[in-house]
Amino acid sequence: MTAEMGLRLGQVAGLHFRRGNRRHTVVIGKDTRLSGYMLENALVAGFTAAGMDVVLTGPLPTPAIGMLTRSMRADAGVMISASHNPHSDNGIKFFGPDGFKLSDTDEEAIEAGLRVNAPMVEPAEIGRVKRIDGATDRYIEFAKHSFPREMRLDGLKVVVDAANGAAHRTASRLIWELGADVIEVGMSPNGININEGCGSTAPEAACEAVRANGADLGIALDGDADRVHMIDETGHVIDGDQLMAAIAEEARVRGKLNRDTLVATIMSNIGLERHLADNGIGLVRTRVGDRYVVETMRAHGYNVGGEQSGHIILSDHTTTGDGLIAALQALAVMLRSGRPASEALHRFVPMPQVMRNIRVAPGSRPLEQETVRQVIRDHETELGATGRIVVRPSGTEPVIRVMAEGEDRDRLEAIADAIGEAMTSAPVRPVTSSTTLFAKLSA
């Protein structure tokens, strides 16, 4: 992910999003990574070369860019972020004019454009650039309106961990304005400490802050604030599966869960599925990625969905995963119940899951190796109906993710290790000219 790639991508995407003979606009936001400055300037050069005007927001949560794209009637939105990854990574997420992430068709069209020389507009048609004030305020007010009007957080002590990321100007202010006393964690970005020992992927700091301060609750976001994990008053983590269960059950009781169904991915715990069934709620599973959850929700009219990792999509309020809005809905569940988070937001006992992230040699392509496939099949047969195995390439990191789920954790550990060993032992195959050169633009 270089400046050159950013420039080319901006130019190709700019041409893709231009519709008709008029001025066109793209909204560009970013998280707090040092490389964001480089990519922001590169994208600006590309979009203006394609004749698009650019609106810069500075650091803002990913869902804020989706909201602003639609609210400002822009032709596209761009978020510069590698989400929960370390500062050394970066990425680019696109939103269409409706505020939703792009379809596979749109992404493939942009990727195809990277393989040819994109034309530049005439000098008099080059786009203009401006930085807007007030984008943070607009997003905070938007998020606050998702919280029940009759409710306040007065008397609650809440730890808010922004992962030194995109929500460092919005998260604690939002919760404070709703009445809570706020203890801040991960609010001092320096360009290289995003997600470092804090946030939803490293919630130990927020857990310790909850315990040390006697807080009622903790909210831990990831680097671009589209994910959330919460922490109960005892310092235990509440993951996306538990939050989805609590929000969906509350919505069903209030007659607001469309088709009495929740949408989740293949990674969600089987305990969630069983719990929902016991409470009259169906579960539809999708491939991994919040974009695929959203596509299924839109296609069938569902309004609650998400991922175990904390991407939670509430389509009555947002077009994409929004960690802060999801946290507000969970807080509303807790307040209505009159019970502490440890009782209100822990809804089921999860079945044991074991995760492995396997780094493999470049060119090895282990999932194409019959020996690896056979190892996976053998262990699937061993688990039978008592468990399952999910093996997939990561959409954001150069690793293959292995998940084993079942009754016996020790056996799951052995199975995950055996699959990982089979993959790392796979022979390296030479890269051919037909190898795909460009990764997916978003995951």
Side-chain angles (χ1 to χ4, degrees), residues 56 64-65 108 131 135 142 146 215 240 316 319 403:
L56 299 175
I65 302 306
E108 288 162 4
R131 188 173 296 274
F142 169 77
S146 74
D316 291 342
T319 60
M403 187 274 284

Side-chain angles (χ1 to χ4, degrees), residues 267-330:
M267 298 300 289
S268 279
N269 197 279
I270 192 67
L272 170 65
E273 187 168 0
R274 293 172 178 174
H275 175 77
L276 293 175
D278 290 342
N279 287 274
I281 299 174
L283 179 67
V284 174
R285 291 187 184 266
T286 74
R287 60 191 292 191
V288 175
D290 65 309
R291 183 159 59 98
Y292 302 110
V293 174
V294 171
E295 287 178 359
T296 299
M297 292 171 66
R298 295 181 75 187
H300 301 283
Y302 305 126
N303 63 338
V304 179
E307 297 187 281
Q308 184 186 67
S309 61
H311 278 128
I312 298 177
I313 301 98
L314 305 168
S315 62
D316 291 342
H317 304 292
T318 66
T319 60
T320 188
D322 190 316
L324 280 167
I325 286 181
L328 291 179
Q329 308 318 303

Side-chain angles (χ1 to χ4, degrees), residues 145-213:
H145 278 92
S146 74
F147 195 62
R149 289 181 178 273
E150 71 277 10
M151 288 188 178
R152 294 278 298 172
L153 302 181
D154 298 336
L156 290 182
K157 186 182 291 186
V158 180
V159 170
V160 181
D161 182 351
N164 292 318
H168 76 283
R169 295 175 180 169
T170 58
S172 62
R173 182 178 151 194
L174 168 63
I175 300 302
W176 182 84
E177 287 185 5
L178 287 171
D181 294 327
V182 175
I183 297 98
E184 295 186 337
V185 175
M187 299 286 178
S188 302
N190 61 14
I192 59 175
N193 63 355
I194 187 170
N195 299 312
E196 187 177 84
C198 56
S200 63
T201 52
E204 294 79 15
C207 292
E208 177 56 32
V210 168
R211 289 189 289 262
N213 291 278

Side-chain angles (χ1 to χ4, degrees), residues 11-79:
Q11 192 171 2
V12 170
L15 294 171
H16 177 79
F17 286 112
R18 288 184 60 172
R19 300 286 192 276
N21 186 23
R22 59 178 176 81
R23 300 300 299 180
H24 295 79
T25 303
V26 57
V27 177
I28 299 180
K30 61 181 179 179
D31 63 23
T32 56
R33 292 163 215 269
L34 188 60
S35 57
Y37 291 99
M38 173 186 75
L39 291 173
E40 181 182 62
N41 288 324
L43 283 164
V44 166
F47 277 112
T48 54
M52 291 192 78
D53 295 334
V54 177
V55 174
L56 299 175
T57 71
L60 271 183
T62 287
I65 302 306
M67 180 273 290
L68 286 170
T69 300
R70 184 167 62 174
S71 173
M72 297 178 69
R73 295 185 65 185
D75 298 279
V78 176
M79 179 65 182

Side-chain angles (χ1 to χ4, degrees), residues 111-384:
E111 289 181 3
L114 291 171
R115 297 177 173 86
V116 298
N117 291 322
M120 179 177 170
V121 297
E122 293 297 320
E125 298 176 9
I126 291 173
R128 300 175 184 272
V129 186
K130 65 179 179 181
R131 188 173 296 274
I132 62 169
D133 297 322
T136 296
D137 295 330
R138 289 178 68 163
Y139 173 67
I140 288 175
E141 288 303 311
F142 169 77
K144 283 166 65 175
H145 278 92
S146 74
F147 195 62
R149 289 181 178 273
E150 71 277 10
M151 288 188 178
R152 294 278 298 172
L153 302 181
D154 298 336
L156 290 182
K157 186 182 291 186
V158 180
V159 170
V160 181
D161 182 351
N164 292 318
H168 76 283
R169 295 175 180 169
T170 58
S172 62
R173 182 178 151 194
L174 168 63
I175 300 302
W176 182 84
E177 287 185 5
L178 287 171
D181 294 327
V182 175
I183 297 98
E184 295 186 337
V185 175
M187 299 286 178
S188 302
N190 61 14
I192 59 175
N193 63 355
I194 187 170
N195 299 312
E196 187 177 84
C198 56
S200 63
T201 52
E204 294 79 15
C207 292
E208 177 56 32
V210 168
R211 289 189 289 262
N213 291 278
D216 299 286
L217 193 75
I219 298 171
L221 305 165
D222 71 338
D224 68 333
D226 63 354
R227 296 187 185 197
V228 64
H229 280 172
M230 299 180 77
I231 298 97
D232 68 25
E233 77 281 1
T234 69
H236 289 93
V237 174
I238 308 168
D239 70 10
D241 280 350
Q242 298 284 358
L243 293 175
M244 286 190 291
I247 292 169
E249 286 181 71
E250 178 77 5
R252 183 176 186 272
V253 168
R254 297 172 65 82
K256 295 184 177 181
L257 181 64
N258 291 359
R259 304 181 67 179
D260 288 342
T261 298
L262 172 72
V263 181
T265 75
I266 56 175
M267 298 300 289
S268 279
N269 197 279
I270 192 67
L272 170 65
E273 187 168 0
R274 293 172 178 174
H275 175 77
L276 293 175
D278 290 342
N279 287 274
I281 299 174
L283 179 67
V284 174
R285 291 187 184 266
T286 74
R287 60 191 292 191
V288 175
D290 65 309
R291 183 159 59 98
Y292 302 110
V293 174
V294 171
E295 287 178 359
T296 299
M297 292 171 66
R298 295 181 75 187
H300 301 283
Y302 305 126
N303 63 338
V304 179
E307 297 187 281
Q308 184 186 67
S309 61
H311 278 128
I312 298 177
I313 301 98
L314 305 168
S315 62
D316 291 342
H317 304 292
T318 66
T319 60
T320 188
D322 190 316
L324 280 167
I325 286 181
L328 291 179
Q329 308 318 303
L331 274 163
V333 171
M334 188 181 85
L335 291 175
R336 286 194 181 103
S337 73
R339 296 179 293 160
S342 59
E343 298 177 15
L345 301 181
H346 287 285
R347 293 298 175 113
F348 64 92
V349 176
M351 182 175 284
Q353 284 184 338
V354 172
M355 308 285 191
R356 295 286 188 272
N357 292 325
I358 310 299
R359 292 187 177 270
V360 296
S364 62
R365 291 176 280 174
L367 297 184
E368 298 179 14
Q369 305 287 338
E370 180 56 30
T371 54
V372 174
R373 292 179 178 181
Q374 187 60 52
V375 170
I376 296 171
R377 285 195 295 267
D378 289 345
H379 288 300
E380 286 176 331
T381 300
E382 176 188 345
L383 286 175

